[in-house]
Amino acid sequence: MSLFVGTTGVLMPPIAQSVAQSVTPIRNLGNVYGITIRGTVRSAVGNHFILDDGTGQVIVDAGPRWFHQINLQPGETVTVVGKYDDYDFDAFRITRANGEVTNIRPHGGPPPWAGGRRRWEQRQAR
């Protein structure tokens, strides 16, 4: 398996191509791991944003801002691969309309920031 360097410089396994096969309308979201949604950013606060695809809206969580900053702007069209868990959509990867890809976290297991900032910084110092 090849690895890639995420936006924070941390080596992370790639997200399987089969994960992002088709786009799921937001109105049809269920507790499924590794689905793709696409829409327009309606508002953004830190790394959380509201994505609207015309069938509905969902809050997308792209991890803590101290880990990385995604800086999306209202009006941007993005495609997000992740998982929906009853109240928000946890992003694994975000692709902007210009093709720029931001890898947020691996598709399986806990996110790299699990345990908080202090623990992550301690792991990086080793």
Side-chain angles (χ1 to χ4, degrees):
M1 171 194 306
S2 62
L3 297 176
F4 67 88
V5 178
T7 57
T8 62
V10 175
L11 288 176
M12 298 166 55
I15 297 170
Q17 290 299 324
S18 63
V19 170
Q21 298 257 338
S22 63
V23 176
T24 300
I26 289 173
R27 72 171 175 238
N28 296 340
L29 286 177
N31 288 348
V32 178
Y33 215 83
I35 59 176
T36 301
I37 58 175
R38 180 180 302 127
T40 302
V41 176
R42 291 295 171 214
S43 65
V45 176
N47 283 354
H48 291 84
F49 58 96
I50 296 175
L51 190 66
D52 183 334
D53 73 350
T55 70
Q57 297 182 348
V58 67
I59 297 170
V60 178
D61 180 353
R65 198 160 173 86
W66 60 261
F67 187 73
H68 61 248
Q69 297 180 19
I70 58 170
N71 299 319
L72 292 175
Q73 300 299 314
E76 278 192 73
T77 298
V78 296
T79 301
V80 184
V81 176
K83 69 173 183 161
Y84 182 68
D85 62 6
D86 291 329
Y87 62 93
D88 70 358
F89 192 85
D90 294 330
F92 300 157
R93 180 179 65 225
I94 298 171
T95 304
R96 288 184 150 104
N98 66 4
E100 177 186 329
V101 176
T102 303
N103 291 297
I104 308 298
R105 60 178 277 193
H107 155 234
W113 56 83
R117 184 177 192 160
R118 175 182 263 171
R119 185 171 175 174
W120 181 79
E121 288 172 346
Q122 289 171 344
R123 287 191 307 248
Q124 298 307 304
R126 292 184 202 159

